[in-house]
Amino acid sequence: MRATLMHAAQDVRVEDVADPKIQQPTDAVVRIVLCCVCGSDLWPYKSLARTDNPRHMGHEFLGVVEEVGSEVRTLKPGDVVVVPFVWADNTCLYCREGLQTSCPHGGQWGVNRVDGGQGQAARVPQADGALVKMHVGEDRLRPHRQPGGHRRRLPGDERPRRPEGAGTPVTDRKPNTEPAATADHAGVVSAYRTYLQGMTDGDTAALDALLDDEFTVTHMTGYVQPKAEWLSQIRAGQFGYHSIEEKGLDVDTGGAGTVRLAGRTLTDATVYGTRAEWRLRLIVDFARHDDTWTVLRAVATTW
């Protein structure tokens, strides 16, 4: 069996992608049945430089356990499992707080000689913690999309379909880069750029002053992180923002009490030891207190 590869600067050997095998007693080998493709898979194809070294791709997959190591206690061959965004032991302090991405015994798929999900099989480290057992048979693992990319309507799914041509695709919108037309627009754009500058400078004092006490940042993984925790991880170097290049922004000043800004950026960042250029779409909500704009929340996705 051979996993899907891409060219990237990673410490991966070609022989590592063939026939995944148990390497540690806490490992399992999973035969992959379904794997999603998300923005975290797509941006490396556009942004990483080509090298002679292959890289395993893919995460968030479903499959069937084929083999387990001698210390795996909760799984057996034949079990249907879901594989989350990262692998982790699910027993450490960070995992118990819901911070599996910070697990000291865990890591990411497709790096450091760990398999990715876009292949036929994968070795899963820390299998007891990383794999989520489902009480269904393999026959339930069926794609929910028909050929041609059309979603199959399931029984009970009565949500109305959007008419053909309705709405404007985000990719067709032209970013608003014109001079500010209103004082609100100008103030929000200035606060947004102060926010980005604080990130690249690692200036947690400036960010602390700009962010609301109840501020949260939602990462691409879906984890909603409170202000104090995010700032502490910036100070500790777990989040490092080397540069942020603006690629456009839109400001909606029509709301009552809050203003929402949608910005697109190319962000060169190190996240938990992995440095890459991220195509981030930032949705940032602001509120004005007297003459000062405060950031209420930020949500990061990819574009």
Side-chain angles (χ1 to χ4, degrees), residues 94-103 223 225 229 233 272:
Y94 289 99
C95 289
R96 291 199 301 272
E97 292 295 324
L99 300 173
Q100 283 82 358
T101 52
S102 299
C103 177
Y223 175 61
Q225 189 171 36
E229 182 182 289
Q233 291 192 338
Y272 300 120

Side-chain angles (χ1 to χ4, degrees), residues 42-53:
L42 297 178
W43 66 258
Y45 286 101
K46 300 178 180 179
S47 60
L48 293 182
R50 182 182 178 90
T51 74
D52 293 329
N53 301 317

Side-chain angles (χ1 to χ4, degrees), residues 75-137:
L75 300 161
K76 65 183 185 303
D79 285 342
V80 173
V81 290
V82 175
V83 187
F85 187 83
V86 295
W87 56 273
D89 62 19
N90 239 352
T91 60
C92 71
L93 176 63
Y94 289 99
C95 289
R96 291 199 301 272
E97 292 295 324
L99 300 173
Q100 283 82 358
T101 52
S102 299
C103 177
H105 308 119
Q108 300 179 38
W109 303 106
V111 297
N112 299 323
R113 296 183 177 174
V114 175
D115 298 317
Q118 291 175 13
Q120 292 176 289
R123 179 181 68 89
V124 177
Q126 300 290 344
D128 280 325
L131 296 177
V132 180
K133 181 178 177 179
M134 301 183 68
H135 299 284
V136 298

Side-chain angles (χ1 to χ4, degrees), residues 173-181 185 189 192-193 245-251 261-265:
R173 294 178 184 168
K174 294 183 179 180
N176 180 3
T177 55
E178 297 299 318
H185 188 292
V189 170
Y192 171 68
R193 289 174 176 160
E245 179 184 353
E246 285 189 44
K247 289 297 183 180
L249 57 85
D250 291 293
V251 179
L261 182 149
R264 291 189 298 164
T265 71

Side-chain angles (χ1 to χ4, degrees), residues 48-279:
L48 293 182
R50 182 182 178 90
T51 74
D52 293 329
N53 301 317
R55 174 178 172 178
H56 300 231
M57 291 299 296
H59 57 279
E60 297 174 347
F61 47 101
L62 292 87
V64 178
V65 174
E66 294 286 290
E67 185 181 0
V68 297
S70 60
E71 295 182 11
V72 175
R73 299 287 180 258
T74 62
L75 300 161
K76 65 183 185 303
D79 285 342
V80 173
V81 290
V82 175
V83 187
F85 187 83
V86 295
W87 56 273
D89 62 19
N90 239 352
T91 60
C92 71
L93 176 63
Y94 289 99
C95 289
R96 291 199 301 272
E97 292 295 324
L99 300 173
Q100 283 82 358
T101 52
S102 299
C103 177
H105 308 119
Q108 300 179 38
W109 303 106
V111 297
N112 299 323
R113 296 183 177 174
V114 175
D115 298 317
Q118 291 175 13
Q120 292 176 289
R123 179 181 68 89
V124 177
Q126 300 290 344
D128 280 325
L131 296 177
V132 180
K133 181 178 177 179
M134 301 183 68
H135 299 284
V136 298
E138 184 179 346
D139 61 323
R140 295 294 301 276
L141 301 185
R142 297 175 300 186
H144 284 182
R145 289 187 181 273
Q146 295 175 329
H150 300 290
R151 183 181 185 277
R152 182 170 67 237
R153 181 161 295 204
L154 302 177
D157 182 0
E158 301 304 328
R159 290 175 294 179
R161 298 182 186 272
R162 189 172 66 176
E164 288 294 326
T168 303
V170 172
T171 53
D172 290 343
R173 294 178 184 168
K174 294 183 179 180
N176 180 3
T177 55
E178 297 299 318
T182 67
D184 282 354
H185 188 292
V188 166
V189 170
S190 176
Y192 171 68
R193 289 174 176 160
T194 300
Y195 172 69
L196 298 185
Q197 190 66 51
M199 292 168 63
T200 56
D201 291 345
D203 190 344
T204 54
L207 288 171
D208 188 32
L210 180 66
L211 306 180
D212 186 79
D213 290 342
E214 301 300 318
F215 169 85
T216 60
V217 55
T218 302
H219 297 287
M220 291 187 299
T221 59
Y223 175 61
V224 181
Q225 189 171 36
K227 170 182 173 178
E229 182 182 289
W230 184 51
L231 295 182
S232 69
Q233 291 192 338
I234 292 175
R235 287 191 289 268
Q238 291 172 298
F239 285 93
Y241 303 94
H242 310 293
S243 67
I244 302 176
E245 179 184 353
E246 285 189 44
K247 289 297 183 180
L249 57 85
D250 291 293
V251 179
D252 179 5
T253 58
T258 63
V259 173
R260 171 162 291 183
L261 182 149
R264 291 189 298 164
T265 71
L266 289 181
T267 298
D268 179 6
T270 296
V271 180
Y272 300 120
T274 299
R275 182 170 179 173
E277 186 175 66
W278 308 79
R279 295 172 177 266

